[in-house]
Amino acid sequence: MKVDVKKLLIGGSILSLSAMVLGACGSSSDDTDTSTAGDTETSTKVEGDIKLWVDTEHIDALQGQVDKFEEEYPDVTVTVAVGSSADAKADVSKDPEQAADVFMMPHDQVGQMAEAGLIYPIGEKQAETIKDTNVEAAVDAVTWQDKIYGYPYGVESQVLYYNTSTLSEDDVKTWEGLTSAGVIGTNFAEDGANYIFGPLFMSNGNVLYGDDGEDINGTNFNNEAGIEVMQWIADQKDNAGVLQASESALSDLQSGKSDAFLSGPWSKNDVEKALGDNMGVAAYPTIDFGSGAQQMKAFLGVKLYAVNQQTQAPLAAMALAEYLSNQETQEIEFTENGVVPSNKDAQSSDAVTSDAVAKAVMEMSDTDHSVVMPKLPEMVSFWPPMDALINDTYKGQIKADDFQDKLDKFVSDISKVSE
């Protein structure tokens, strides 16, 4: 069945189709199930040849699950190919009809791809399963304008890695304690500071694109709390416990030049090599911006599978996406690739709860420690000016008298798409 996006968009029929085709996706492979859309009874046989795009490092872990899926759905053939989840929007939009039926992607592209008609909204049955089985932050991340558009399979946040021979658990509970007892190597002055320190503004009570991350005019960084954050960033230049480091952060940690750095689960193996038994992991510390201690927050990312809206086998594609995001597959992904599960039961498994990095990421995934990265298409306009704001403030190129004007301009600039 080939889906014509233009026809489906007329009269909201795309939602009717989704409700119709998704009814059977969470069921077994019984191919005689039927579902009703309006007054029409429609066959929901799960069949077809579908293509799956996954990042290279996931192929070995997922192949066994794909084989099991094909056993459960004998009328479906899955071809696994390498794709780049980070480039999902660009790769799918080049030629949606030739793109994979199911593909990995990061949640912050959901809004752009939904608006472009590239991914399916998920029907009620599977949506309820996603809500019931995954942590709240993951559900929020795959939701766009009150509809779920993806199947989450992992959560990702930065954590604090530190050397336990120089820093204690109490030291790393506060930024002040951390930078008094040791040195953190981190990036305020180069590209990429936006991802690490952009959430400081939310740490101090502000919001980015509103409370739900979907309000184009909902950013309020240009207030007193935002000015406090700017001053705090400027003060870090003279903080002896802060070492400017980007590419050198890991080597500085290994050499003893620094005692801590902020990174994600992707750095776990490298930090273990650098610190050995002295590797410590913790959630972010608190920070006092001038009005009392606030929990330092990070951006939370969610990994998900999405279904191409141009797929010719929507039932098979949606069944596969659900299968590859179930508890069993998430546990395999954690064991093989270190992906921290979004599934609540998988998070409770012994393997996950006994892993220090996973525990820290799960703590960071609550609303007190992180903010789900907004999915608004205008988010592409956030990154360059945020880098400039942090870099120039840290370097002393933006003076205190100019903080308000710079924040006013920033809030205005990020309300427009500038691709």
Side-chain angles (χ1 to χ4, degrees):
M1 178 176 72
K2 183 175 181 179
V3 180
D4 187 319
V5 176
K6 292 182 179 178
K7 290 180 181 178
L8 291 175
L9 289 173
I10 298 173
S13 58
I14 185 170
L15 300 181
S16 297
L17 176 64
S18 297
M20 176 181 76
V21 300
L22 285 165
C25 289
S27 66
S28 68
S29 58
D30 291 346
D31 58 14
T32 57
D33 290 345
T34 58
S35 179
T36 302
D39 296 326
T40 305
E41 189 177 74
T42 308
S43 171
T44 58
K45 184 173 182 178
V46 181
E47 61 183 350
D49 296 335
I50 55 177
K51 185 191 301 181
L52 170 67
W53 279 350
V54 298
D55 292 331
T56 303
E57 64 270 22
H58 293 268
I59 289 180
D60 289 343
L62 292 174
Q63 188 60 60
Q65 291 300 94
V66 170
D67 293 342
K68 289 170 66 175
F69 173 82
E70 290 179 321
E71 291 176 6
E72 185 172 341
Y73 294 91
D75 294 317
V76 180
T77 300
V78 181
T79 300
V80 183
V82 174
S84 170
S85 59
D87 299 323
K89 178 179 177 289
D91 292 344
V92 173
S93 61
K94 286 176 186 175
D95 189 348
E97 291 189 3
Q98 295 302 313
D101 303 270
V102 180
F103 48 88
M104 289 177 163
M105 61 175 283
H107 87 270
D108 59 308
Q109 296 181 16
V110 165
Q112 300 172 66
M113 296 186 76
E115 291 293 297
L118 296 172
I119 53 178
Y120 258 118
I122 296 172
E124 183 176 348
K125 182 176 181 180
Q126 285 189 323
E128 286 304 313
T129 298
I130 289 169
K131 292 176 183 178
D132 290 344
T133 58
N134 290 277
V135 296
E136 181 181 356
V139 177
D140 290 345
V142 298
T143 302
W144 173 251
Q145 297 184 351
D146 298 323
K147 299 179 182 66
I148 291 179
Y149 280 88
Y151 304 76
Y153 70 90
V155 293
E156 191 168 78
S157 169
Q158 295 215 146
V159 295
L160 175 70
Y161 290 100
Y162 66 98
N163 189 333
T164 59
S165 69
T166 55
L167 293 168
S168 70
E169 289 186 12
D170 284 339
D171 290 334
V172 301
K173 288 180 179 178
T174 68
W175 184 270
E176 296 75 24
L178 167 61
T179 57
S180 295
V183 175
I184 182 169
T186 191
N187 176 26
F188 283 102
E190 300 176 37
D191 290 348
N194 48 18
Y195 177 71
I196 303 170
F197 292 112
L200 288 176
F201 292 91
M202 287 79 87
S203 305
N204 207 27
N206 286 333
V207 293
L208 176 60
Y209 297 123
D211 291 329
D212 62 359
E214 295 186 12
D215 181 358
I216 188 174
N217 296 311
T219 303
N220 66 342
F221 291 8
N222 54 336
N223 56 18
E224 187 59 37
I227 290 173
E228 284 185 347
V229 172
M230 295 277 279
Q231 185 60 58
W232 183 88
I233 292 171
D235 292 344
Q236 299 315 298
K237 187 73 164 59
D238 297 322
N239 186 340
V242 173
L243 173 68
Q244 167 57 31
S246 181
E247 296 294 329
S248 65
L250 189 62
S251 61
D252 289 342
L253 188 68
Q254 185 170 14
S255 68
K257 192 175 181 180
S258 66
D259 306 292
F261 89 124
L262 304 171
S263 191
W266 54 86
S267 293
K268 175 184 176 181
N269 292 338
D270 289 332
V271 178
E272 284 182 329
K273 290 177 183 177
L275 297 180
D277 293 339
N278 291 325
M279 183 182 84
V281 190
Y284 273 14
T286 60
I287 291 179
D288 189 341
F289 296 101
S291 300
Q294 304 288 343
Q295 177 58 56
M296 182 182 179
K297 294 186 176 183
F299 277 127
L300 181 73
V302 174
K303 299 170 178 288
L304 63 104
Y305 288 96
V307 173
N308 187 340
Q309 204 164 37
Q310 291 279 22
T311 179
Q312 296 185 44
L315 286 176
M318 293 175 187
L320 177 64
E322 185 176 56
Y323 196 90
L324 294 182
S325 58
N326 65 19
Q327 178 184 347
E328 179 185 24
T329 310
Q330 289 196 31
E331 290 176 351
I332 290 171
E333 280 277 47
F334 174 73
T335 301
E336 297 297 323
N337 293 311
V339 177
V340 179
S342 61
N343 180 280
K344 289 182 282 191
D345 289 336
Q347 283 195 353
S348 299
S349 69
D350 291 341
V352 176
T353 56
S354 62
D355 184 276
V357 174
K359 285 177 65 177
V361 170
M362 289 189 293
E363 184 176 354
M364 288 297 296
S365 68
D366 68 40
T367 55
D368 290 335
H369 288 80
S370 64
V371 57
V372 176
M373 191 180 294
K375 307 169 289 291
L376 204 70
E378 284 76 14
M379 189 65 184
V380 299
S381 301
F382 168 85
W383 302 109
M386 177 50 69
D387 250 346
L389 201 65
I390 295 170
N391 295 168
D392 294 344
T393 301
Y394 176 78
K395 294 173 183 177
Q397 295 173 0
I398 301 176
K399 303 303 181 184
D401 289 345
D402 296 323
F403 287 169
Q404 185 67 60
D405 288 343
K406 291 293 185 180
L407 286 170
D408 287 341
K409 185 176 187 306
F410 171 82
V411 169
S412 174
D413 287 346
I414 68 167
S415 66
K416 311 178 222 62
V417 175
S418 59
E419 290 184 284

